[in-house]
Structure formats: C-alpha cells, structure tokens
Amino acid sequence: MSASPTTTPLSLSVQQGKAISLLSQRATGNVYPGAPRLDALDWEVCGEKLSAAAGATWLTGSSANPNGDTKASSELAKVTLGGAYSVVTVLEGAAERETWDARLKKWATGCTDPDGSVTPSTVATPGVDASFTYTQIRPKADLTERHVSAVVARVGNVGVICWLAAKDPATAASAAATCARDTVQGSRSLADLASASGPLGARAVLASVVARPKAKSEVTFDPQLTVGPPCGPMKESLMTSESAFATFRPSGTDMYEPATASAAVTAMKDPMAAKARVAQALTTFGGCTGRYTYAAGTRTFPARVLGLDDVAFGDGGFAIRDEVSFGADKPQPGYTAIFSVGRFVVQVDQWRAGYGRLVAQEIAEAAA
C-alpha cells in the first residue's frame, strides 16, 4: 500500500463525487460512458465486498462489447481497451476511512480472486492518502478484457476504484494510471477550483457543472468533439493543446442524446491574465463579419455572421451570433461566447438554439 503523508486533507460532497466520476471515465473502442449513476456500492476486490453508506457512490463504465456480443476479428483487432469501470464513493466519518485503508493494507500483502491470479503492484499514485494497485490475467475473459490493471485509493473522504481491462498489460496499466491520476488530481482541483491549473484543472472546471445543486446539464469528455474557430469566416482558434474540451446535453439524458453545446476552458496564470486573453480575443475576433461555409461532416452549408454582443457571464466577455441554413429548413441560430471567470478563459459553442447561453452561465457560476 502506498500513501502520501504530505497531502492536504480534503472533504468533498456526494454531488462533487459525480464530477470526480466524470474525470475517471474512459472510452472503450468507440463506446463512450453515459452519465455516472448514483447507486449502492456493489464491488468486490480480492474476494471481499466493499460497502459504503447508501446514496454516496457514483458508478460509471463502458465496454467495447456492451451487449456481450462476439465481434468480428477485424473489428476486435482495432480495440485495445475493452473495459473501463470506476467507482467514486464518499466515505462518511473516520471509521469508514479507516476501514477502507485497512483493507488496502491487507490486500497489498496478498490477494486472491476467482477470476484469476492477482499480482499486487508497487506503482505509486501521487496525491493519495492510501492506495492499492494490482494487475490480473483473466484466461476466460474476452480477448479485449483479458489483462486487468486496477487502482483502489483514498483521497480525503473519497474512495476511488479505477478498473481497466485491455488486450495487453501495458494498455491496461497506462489506462489505470491515468484514470487514477485524473481522479485524484481532479478531487483536489474540485476542492479548490480557484487554484486549479493546467489541462486537468481546466477539465475539473467543466466537470464541476454537474456538482452544482439542480444542475441542468450532463457533461461528456469526448476528445473528438471540440470547439471551433470563434469566427466562422476566420481560421484562427482561441483554444490550444493546453485547453480542456467537453460537450453538454440536458440533465437526465443519456450518452445517446445529441450534444447541444460544446465548451473549452484554458487555465491561465491568474485572473488578470485571463481577462487579458479575452481582451486579445476581442481584438482578434471583434470584427467578425460576413458570410462563410459551415462544414458538417462531408456536407457544407451557407452561413453568415449576424453580430456581436457583450456578455456578463463570469468576469465578462463577448459573444458572436450567426446563423446556418440547412437546406430548406429555417436558418439555425449559432452562438459562440468567450469570457473569463477567475483565472479561466471559457469558450462555448451552441449546437441547439438557446443552449449556449445556459451552458456558459452554468460554467461561470460553477467556476466563480
């Protein structure tokens, strides 16, 4: 078992646990996880069942074979990560935390599992209060889920499990390590968003939207869906490789609900730097005007810029309004908001009329 005695104590709410669960998600093949669900903790490690208080655990996961179907060999050959599941549970009181830690210490000395031999690992997870990492080979499992790497950890009052199954041990180990890193660092960022930094801090800002009471949106981190250039007729982008991207859809819907807005966040050095970045963006994109061609997959549609508005979200910024003509249908209104909130620069692109403003406001309120 590994531990970091110098870590700063933190205490997070059950609703913040949902945001942490989002940060743990991983796609398997072309299958993306749905929204984390609040459920009872029903998970076994080393043949022992873990438990937690009712209503304190978020579960999420995806499988390359969600229905247990046997895929064609050509399709299986493209899948390296076959299963990705995670647990985030808020531990109530010192007794639950002590029980969690005692089990991690016990499993580190020896572990048996009916699915196959378990090998404890000495790989450390930075930032945790306690952790147990193991690898496993499951001879009877599907080819894409034969090699397992898992991290069971505690950070503050949050218990975390990252369980990743892959075609080869290196893929499983890498996925488990990044899941644990994002989950642990995300927990600490959520506890102090104002100090969050880098791409992981920016992801925590986006995830924090679901941690708000009565949140109106679900969030998905799909690396293939990002924001575009703010001004249609121009090619320049505002966001960079240091930015975090996410898509948003109405709260309560699943992953098959079409996204209705996309957003990106960049963490700057301080609030003044964020305001300066927005001011620079206004200089670059403030003269946005004219007609352009909007591309959707292999198809293109005529579009035009309608104008600019000031926005009062966060610490202020601006928005570009445009419209796209999809065939004979009525032109659809577009909306791109750029603003800062604290040390963060935010861009929101609307996919459904009216939803861009709602998402921009949710991000601004969550990060304030």
Side-chain angles (χ1 to χ4, degrees):
M1 185 180 76
S2 64
S4 301
T6 59
T7 55
T8 302
L10 81 162
S11 180
L12 298 175
S13 69
V14 171
Q15 199 59 32
Q16 285 175 309
K18 182 178 182 180
I20 300 169
S21 185
L22 275 177
L23 298 172
S24 74
Q25 290 184 332
R26 295 293 181 273
T28 51
N30 59 357
V31 179
Y32 287 83
R37 69 184 191 279
L38 192 63
D39 208 338
L41 177 57
D42 184 16
W43 195 281
E44 285 192 4
V45 178
C46 296
E48 293 187 51
K49 187 173 181 178
L50 291 170
S51 61
T57 301
W58 295 94
L59 307 177
T60 186
S62 65
S63 171
N65 284 322
N67 299 316
D69 300 329
T70 301
K71 293 190 174 184
S73 58
S74 59
E75 192 172 352
L76 280 174
K78 302 175 185 178
V79 176
T80 55
L81 187 64
Y85 298 89
S86 62
V87 173
V88 173
T89 186
V90 176
L91 303 169
E92 292 187 351
E96 281 197 6
R97 295 193 293 272
E98 289 170 2
T99 298
W100 191 274
D101 289 2
R103 285 186 169 179
L104 300 187
K105 185 176 181 179
K106 173 186 174 182
W107 295 331
T109 62
C111 179
T112 59
D113 189 277
D115 289 333
S117 61
V118 171
T119 303
S121 170
T122 58
V123 176
T125 301
V128 298
D129 294 307
S131 69
F132 165 60
T133 303
Y134 69 88
T135 59
Q136 182 181 35
I137 300 176
R138 305 189 304 160
K140 297 181 180 180
D142 182 90
L143 177 64
T144 61
E145 298 187 15
R146 192 154 297 172
H147 294 272
V148 171
S149 184
V151 178
V152 188
R154 181 181 64 80
V155 52
N157 68 326
V158 178
V160 173
I161 301 174
C162 287
W163 188 95
L164 287 301
K167 186 178 295 184
D168 61 271
T171 298
S174 175
T178 58
C179 171
R181 177 202 65 192
D182 292 1
T183 305
V184 171
Q185 293 188 24
S187 298
R188 298 200 174 277
S189 293
L190 283 162
D192 183 15
L193 273 182
S195 299
S197 61
L200 287 178
R203 280 169 61 91
V205 170
L206 292 167
S208 68
V209 167
V210 304
R212 291 175 54 78
K214 299 181 180 179
K216 297 179 181 178
S217 296
E218 301 287 2
V219 179
T220 299
F221 291 105
D222 182 344
Q224 299 184 49
L225 299 174
T226 64
V227 297
C231 176
M234 302 170 67
K235 301 300 182 182
E236 291 88 343
S237 296
L238 174 65
M239 296 296 162
T240 70
S241 59
E242 292 295 300
S243 307
F245 302 88
T247 56
F248 291 73
R249 63 186 188 277
S251 181
T253 58
D254 62 21
M255 62 182 176
Y256 299 106
E257 175 75 14
T260 50
S262 55
V265 170
T266 301
M268 305 297 290
K269 180 180 179 181
D270 53 43
M272 290 301 295
K275 289 181 180 180
R277 183 72 173 272
V278 172
Q280 182 184 37
L282 181 59
T283 299
T284 303
F285 304 111
C288 184
T289 186
R291 297 179 180 275
Y292 66 98
T293 299
Y294 176 82
T298 58
R299 303 182 64 187
T300 58
F301 304 91
R304 63 177 182 138
V305 179
L306 300 178
L308 264 70
D309 295 328
D310 291 332
V311 300
F313 307 125
D315 296 323
F318 64 98
I320 300 172
R321 292 180 291 106
D322 56 10
E323 65 178 15
V324 183
S325 297
F326 296 100
D329 295 336
K330 181 180 178 180
Q332 295 296 309
Y335 176 87
T336 297
I338 295 172
F339 61 95
S340 68
V341 51
R343 65 189 297 184
F344 306 107
V345 175
V346 183
Q347 177 180 334
V348 176
D349 290 355
Q350 172 176 289
W351 293 15
R352 178 186 294 176
Y355 203 70
R357 291 176 178 83
L358 185 150
V359 169
Q361 186 169 357
E362 283 193 298
I363 294 173
E365 291 175 353

